[in-house]
CSV table of all heavy atoms in Angstrom, one decimal:
chain,number,residue,atom,x,y,z
A,32,ARG,N,115.7,53.9,5.9
A,32,ARG,CA,116.5,55.1,6.4
A,32,ARG,C,116.2,55.4,7.9
A,32,ARG,O,117.1,55.9,8.6
A,32,ARG,CB,116.2,56.3,5.6
A,32,ARG,CG,116.7,56.1,4.1
A,32,ARG,CD,116.4,57.4,3.3
A,32,ARG,NE,114.9,57.6,3.4
A,32,ARG,CZ,114.3,58.7,3.0
A,32,ARG,NH1,115.0,59.7,2.6
A,32,ARG,NH2,113.0,58.8,3.0
A,33,ARG,N,115.0,55.1,8.4
A,33,ARG,CA,114.6,55.4,9.7
A,33,ARG,C,113.9,54.2,10.3
A,33,ARG,O,113.1,53.6,9.7
A,33,ARG,CB,113.7,56.6,9.8
A,33,ARG,CG,114.4,57.9,9.3
A,33,ARG,CD,113.5,59.1,9.4
A,33,ARG,NE,112.4,58.8,8.5
A,33,ARG,CZ,111.3,59.6,8.4
A,33,ARG,NH1,111.2,60.6,9.2
A,33,ARG,NH2,110.3,59.4,7.5
A,34,VAL,N,114.3,53.9,11.6
A,34,VAL,CA,113.8,52.7,12.2
A,34,VAL,C,113.2,53.1,13.6
A,34,VAL,O,113.7,53.9,14.3
A,34,VAL,CB,115.0,51.7,12.5
A,34,VAL,CG1,114.5,50.5,13.3
A,34,VAL,CG2,115.6,51.2,11.2
A,35,LEU,N,112.0,52.5,13.8
A,35,LEU,CA,111.3,52.7,15.1
A,35,LEU,C,111.3,51.3,15.8
A,35,LEU,O,110.7,50.4,15.3
A,35,LEU,CB,109.9,53.3,14.9
A,35,LEU,CG,109.1,53.3,16.2
A,35,LEU,CD1,109.7,54.3,17.2
A,35,LEU,CD2,107.6,53.8,15.8
A,36,ILE,N,111.9,51.3,17.0
A,36,ILE,CA,111.8,50.0,17.8
A,36,ILE,C,110.8,50.3,18.9
A,36,ILE,O,110.9,51.2,19.7
A,36,ILE,CB,113.2,49.7,18.4
A,36,ILE,CG1,114.2,49.4,17.3
A,36,ILE,CG2,113.1,48.5,19.4
A,36,ILE,CD1,115.6,49.3,17.8
A,37,VAL,N,109.8,49.4,18.9
A,37,VAL,CA,108.7,49.5,19.9
A,37,VAL,C,108.8,48.4,20.9
A,37,VAL,O,108.9,47.2,20.5
A,37,VAL,CB,107.3,49.5,19.2
A,37,VAL,CG1,106.2,49.6,20.2
A,37,VAL,CG2,107.2,50.6,18.1
A,38,THR,N,108.9,48.7,22.2
A,38,THR,CA,109.2,47.7,23.2
A,38,THR,C,108.6,48.2,24.5
A,38,THR,O,108.0,49.3,24.6
A,38,THR,CB,110.7,47.4,23.3
A,38,THR,OG1,110.9,46.3,24.1
A,38,THR,CG2,111.5,48.6,23.7
A,39,ASP,N,108.9,47.5,25.6
A,39,ASP,CA,108.5,47.9,26.9
A,39,ASP,C,109.7,48.3,27.7
A,39,ASP,O,110.8,48.0,27.3
A,39,ASP,CB,107.7,46.7,27.6
A,39,ASP,CG,108.5,45.5,27.9
A,39,ASP,OD1,109.4,45.6,28.8
A,39,ASP,OD2,108.3,44.5,27.2
A,40,PRO,N,109.5,49.0,28.8
A,40,PRO,CA,110.6,49.5,29.6
A,40,PRO,C,111.5,48.4,30.1
A,40,PRO,O,112.7,48.6,30.3
A,40,PRO,CB,109.9,50.2,30.8
A,40,PRO,CG,108.6,50.5,30.3
A,40,PRO,CD,108.2,49.5,29.4
A,41,GLY,N,111.0,47.2,30.4
A,41,GLY,CA,111.8,46.2,30.9
A,41,GLY,C,112.9,45.7,30.0
A,41,GLY,O,114.0,45.5,30.4
A,42,ILE,N,112.6,45.6,28.7
A,42,ILE,CA,113.6,45.3,27.7
A,42,ILE,C,114.7,46.3,27.7
A,42,ILE,O,115.9,45.9,27.6
A,42,ILE,CB,112.9,45.2,26.3
A,42,ILE,CG1,111.9,44.1,26.3
A,42,ILE,CG2,113.9,45.0,25.2
A,42,ILE,CD1,112.4,42.7,26.5
A,43,VAL,N,114.4,47.6,27.7
A,43,VAL,CA,115.4,48.6,27.7
A,43,VAL,C,116.2,48.6,29.0
A,43,VAL,O,117.4,48.6,29.0
A,43,VAL,CB,114.7,50.0,27.6
A,43,VAL,CG1,115.8,51.1,27.7
A,43,VAL,CG2,114.0,50.1,26.2
A,44,ASN,N,115.5,48.4,30.2
A,44,ASN,CA,116.2,48.4,31.4
A,44,ASN,C,117.2,47.2,31.6
A,44,ASN,O,118.2,47.3,32.3
A,44,ASN,CB,115.2,48.4,32.6
A,44,ASN,CG,114.5,49.8,32.7
A,44,ASN,OD1,115.0,50.8,32.2
A,44,ASN,ND2,113.3,49.8,33.3
A,45,LEU,N,116.8,46.1,31.0
A,45,LEU,CA,117.7,44.9,31.0
A,45,LEU,C,118.9,45.0,30.0
A,45,LEU,O,119.7,44.1,30.0
A,45,LEU,CB,116.9,43.7,30.7
A,45,LEU,CG,115.9,43.2,31.8
A,45,LEU,CD1,115.0,42.1,31.2
A,45,LEU,CD2,116.6,42.8,33.0
A,46,GLY,N,118.9,46.1,29.2
A,46,GLY,CA,120.0,46.2,28.3
A,46,GLY,C,119.9,45.3,27.1
A,46,GLY,O,120.9,45.1,26.4
A,47,MET,N,118.7,44.8,26.8
A,47,MET,CA,118.6,43.9,25.7
A,47,MET,C,118.7,44.6,24.3
A,47,MET,O,118.8,43.9,23.3
A,47,MET,CB,117.3,43.1,25.8
A,47,MET,CG,117.3,42.3,27.0
A,47,MET,SD,115.7,41.4,27.2
A,47,MET,CE,115.9,40.1,26.0
A,48,LEU,N,118.7,45.9,24.2
A,48,LEU,CA,118.9,46.6,23.0
A,48,LEU,C,120.4,47.0,22.8
A,48,LEU,O,120.8,47.5,21.7
A,48,LEU,CB,118.0,47.8,22.9
A,48,LEU,CG,116.5,47.5,23.0
A,48,LEU,CD1,115.7,48.8,22.9
A,48,LEU,CD2,116.1,46.6,21.9
A,49,ASP,N,121.2,46.9,23.8
A,49,ASP,CA,122.5,47.5,23.8
A,49,ASP,C,123.4,46.9,22.7
A,49,ASP,O,124.2,47.6,22.1
A,49,ASP,CB,123.2,47.3,25.2
A,49,ASP,CG,122.5,48.1,26.3
A,49,ASP,OD1,121.7,48.9,26.0
A,49,ASP,OD2,122.9,47.8,27.5
A,50,ASP,N,123.2,45.6,22.4
A,50,ASP,CA,124.1,45.0,21.4
A,50,ASP,C,123.7,45.3,20.0
A,50,ASP,O,124.5,45.3,19.0
A,50,ASP,CB,124.1,43.5,21.5
A,50,ASP,CG,124.9,43.0,22.8
A,50,ASP,OD1,125.7,43.8,23.3
A,50,ASP,OD2,124.6,41.9,23.2
A,51,LEU,N,122.4,45.7,19.8
A,51,LEU,CA,122.0,46.0,18.4
A,51,LEU,C,122.0,47.4,18.0
A,51,LEU,O,122.2,47.7,16.8
A,51,LEU,CB,120.6,45.4,18.2
A,51,LEU,CG,119.4,46.2,18.5
A,51,LEU,CD1,118.7,46.6,17.2
A,51,LEU,CD2,118.4,45.4,19.3
A,52,LEU,N,122.0,48.3,18.9
A,52,LEU,CA,122.0,49.8,18.6
A,52,LEU,C,123.2,50.3,17.9
A,52,LEU,O,123.1,51.1,17.0
A,52,LEU,CB,121.7,50.6,19.8
A,52,LEU,CG,120.2,50.4,20.4
A,52,LEU,CD1,120.0,51.2,21.7
A,52,LEU,CD2,119.2,50.8,19.4
A,53,PRO,N,124.4,49.8,18.3
A,53,PRO,CA,125.6,50.3,17.6
A,53,PRO,C,125.6,50.0,16.1
A,53,PRO,O,126.2,50.8,15.3
A,53,PRO,CB,126.8,49.6,18.3
A,53,PRO,CG,126.3,49.3,19.7
A,53,PRO,CD,124.8,49.0,19.5
A,54,GLY,N,125.0,48.9,15.7
A,54,GLY,CA,124.9,48.6,14.3
A,54,GLY,C,124.2,49.7,13.5
A,54,GLY,O,124.6,49.9,12.3
A,55,PHE,N,123.2,50.3,14.1
A,55,PHE,CA,122.5,51.4,13.4
A,55,PHE,C,123.4,52.6,13.2
A,55,PHE,O,123.4,53.3,12.2
A,55,PHE,CB,121.2,51.8,14.1
A,55,PHE,CG,120.2,50.7,14.0
A,55,PHE,CD1,120.0,49.8,15.1
A,55,PHE,CD2,119.4,50.6,12.9
A,55,PHE,CE1,119.0,48.8,15.0
A,55,PHE,CE2,118.4,49.6,12.8
A,55,PHE,CZ,118.3,48.7,13.8
A,56,THR,N,124.2,52.9,14.2
A,56,THR,CA,125.2,54.0,14.1
A,56,THR,C,126.2,53.7,13.0
A,56,THR,O,126.4,54.6,12.2
A,56,THR,CB,125.9,54.2,15.4
A,56,THR,OG1,124.9,54.5,16.5
A,56,THR,CG2,126.9,55.4,15.4
A,57,GLN,N,126.7,52.5,13.0
A,57,GLN,CA,127.7,52.1,11.9
A,57,GLN,C,127.1,52.2,10.6
A,57,GLN,O,127.7,52.6,9.6
A,57,GLN,CB,128.2,50.7,12.2
A,57,GLN,CG,129.1,50.7,13.5
A,57,GLN,CD,129.4,49.3,13.9
A,57,GLN,OE1,128.9,48.3,13.3
A,57,GLN,NE2,130.3,49.1,14.8
A,58,ALA,N,125.8,51.8,10.4
A,58,ALA,CA,125.1,51.8,9.1
A,58,ALA,C,124.6,53.2,8.8
A,58,ALA,O,124.0,53.4,7.7
A,58,ALA,CB,124.0,50.8,9.1
A,59,ARG,N,124.8,54.2,9.7
A,59,ARG,CA,124.3,55.5,9.5
A,59,ARG,C,122.7,55.6,9.3
A,59,ARG,O,122.2,56.3,8.4
A,59,ARG,CB,125.0,56.2,8.4
A,59,ARG,CG,126.5,56.4,8.7
A,59,ARG,CD,127.2,57.2,7.7
A,59,ARG,NE,128.5,57.4,8.1
A,59,ARG,CZ,129.5,57.7,7.3
A,59,ARG,NH1,129.3,57.7,6.0
A,59,ARG,NH2,130.7,57.9,7.8
A,60,LEU,N,122.0,54.8,10.1
A,60,LEU,CA,120.6,54.8,10.1
A,60,LEU,C,120.0,55.4,11.3
A,60,LEU,O,120.6,55.2,12.4
A,60,LEU,CB,120.1,53.3,10.0
A,60,LEU,CG,120.5,52.5,8.8
A,60,LEU,CD1,120.0,51.1,8.9
A,60,LEU,CD2,119.9,53.1,7.5
A,61,SER,N,119.0,56.2,11.1
A,61,SER,CA,118.3,56.8,12.3
A,61,SER,C,117.5,55.8,13.0
A,61,SER,O,116.7,55.1,12.3
A,61,SER,CB,117.5,58.0,11.7
A,61,SER,OG,116.7,58.5,12.8
A,62,VAL,N,117.6,55.8,14.3
A,62,VAL,CA,116.8,54.8,15.1
A,62,VAL,C,116.2,55.5,16.3
A,62,VAL,O,116.8,56.3,16.9
A,62,VAL,CB,117.6,53.6,15.5
A,62,VAL,CG1,118.7,53.9,16.4
A,62,VAL,CG2,116.7,52.5,16.1
A,63,ALA,N,114.9,55.3,16.5
A,63,ALA,CA,114.2,55.8,17.7
A,63,ALA,C,113.6,54.6,18.4
A,63,ALA,O,113.3,53.6,17.9
A,63,ALA,CB,113.1,56.8,17.2
A,64,ILE,N,113.6,54.8,19.7
A,64,ILE,CA,113.0,53.8,20.6
A,64,ILE,C,111.8,54.3,21.3
A,64,ILE,O,111.9,55.3,22.0
A,64,ILE,CB,114.1,53.3,21.6
A,64,ILE,CG1,115.3,52.7,20.9
A,64,ILE,CG2,113.5,52.2,22.6
A,64,ILE,CD1,116.5,52.4,21.8
A,65,PHE,N,110.7,53.6,21.2
A,65,PHE,CA,109.5,53.9,21.9
A,65,PHE,C,109.3,52.8,22.9
A,65,PHE,O,109.1,51.6,22.6
A,65,PHE,CB,108.3,54.0,21.0
A,65,PHE,CG,107.0,54.3,21.8
A,65,PHE,CD1,106.7,55.6,22.2
A,65,PHE,CD2,106.1,53.3,22.1
A,65,PHE,CE1,105.5,55.8,22.9
A,65,PHE,CE2,104.9,53.5,22.8
A,65,PHE,CZ,104.6,54.8,23.2
A,66,SER,N,109.5,53.1,24.2
A,66,SER,CA,109.5,52.0,25.2
A,66,SER,C,108.4,52.2,26.3
A,66,SER,O,108.5,51.8,27.4
A,66,SER,CB,110.8,51.9,25.9
A,66,SER,OG,111.1,53.2,26.6
A,67,GLU,N,107.3,52.8,25.8
A,67,GLU,CA,106.2,53.1,26.8
A,67,GLU,C,105.0,52.1,26.6
A,67,GLU,O,103.9,52.3,27.0
A,67,GLU,CB,105.7,54.5,26.6
A,67,GLU,CG,106.7,55.6,26.9
A,67,GLU,CD,106.3,57.0,26.7
A,67,GLU,OE1,105.1,57.2,26.8
A,67,GLU,OE2,107.1,57.8,26.4
A,68,VAL,N,105.4,50.9,26.1
A,68,VAL,CA,104.4,49.9,25.9
A,68,VAL,C,104.2,49.1,27.2
A,68,VAL,O,105.2,48.8,27.8
A,68,VAL,CB,104.8,48.9,24.7
A,68,VAL,CG1,103.9,47.7,24.6
A,68,VAL,CG2,104.9,49.7,23.4
A,69,SER,N,103.0,48.7,27.6
A,69,SER,CA,102.8,47.9,28.8
A,69,SER,C,103.3,46.5,28.5
A,69,SER,O,103.0,45.9,27.4
A,69,SER,CB,101.3,47.8,29.1
A,69,SER,OG,100.8,49.1,29.4
A,70,ALA,N,104.1,45.9,29.4
A,70,ALA,CA,104.6,44.6,29.2
A,70,ALA,C,103.5,43.6,29.2
A,70,ALA,O,102.6,43.7,30.0
A,70,ALA,CB,105.6,44.3,30.3
A,71,ASP,N,103.5,42.6,28.3
A,71,ASP,CA,102.5,41.6,28.2
A,71,ASP,C,101.1,42.1,28.3
A,71,ASP,O,100.3,41.8,29.2
A,71,ASP,CB,102.7,40.5,29.3
A,71,ASP,CG,104.0,39.8,29.1
A,71,ASP,OD1,104.4,39.5,28.0
A,71,ASP,OD2,104.7,39.6,30.1
A,72,PRO,N,100.7,43.0,27.4
A,72,PRO,CA,99.4,43.7,27.5
A,72,PRO,C,98.3,42.6,27.3
A,72,PRO,O,98.4,41.7,26.6
A,72,PRO,CB,99.4,44.7,26.4
A,72,PRO,CG,100.4,44.2,25.4
A,72,PRO,CD,101.4,43.5,26.2
Side-chain angles (χ1 to χ4, degrees):
R32 294 179 299 166
R33 296 180 295 173
V34 175
L35 173 63
I36 297 173
V37 179
T38 188
D39 65 72
I42 298 294
V43 175
N44 292 337
L45 289 171
M47 295 179 75
L48 301 179
D49 295 350
D50 289 340
L51 86 110
L52 293 176
F55 289 100
T56 301
Q57 292 170 351
R59 296 187 175 154
L60 297 175
S61 173
V62 63
I64 300 170
F65 179 80
S66 62
E67 297 177 30
V68 174
S69 296
D71 298 320

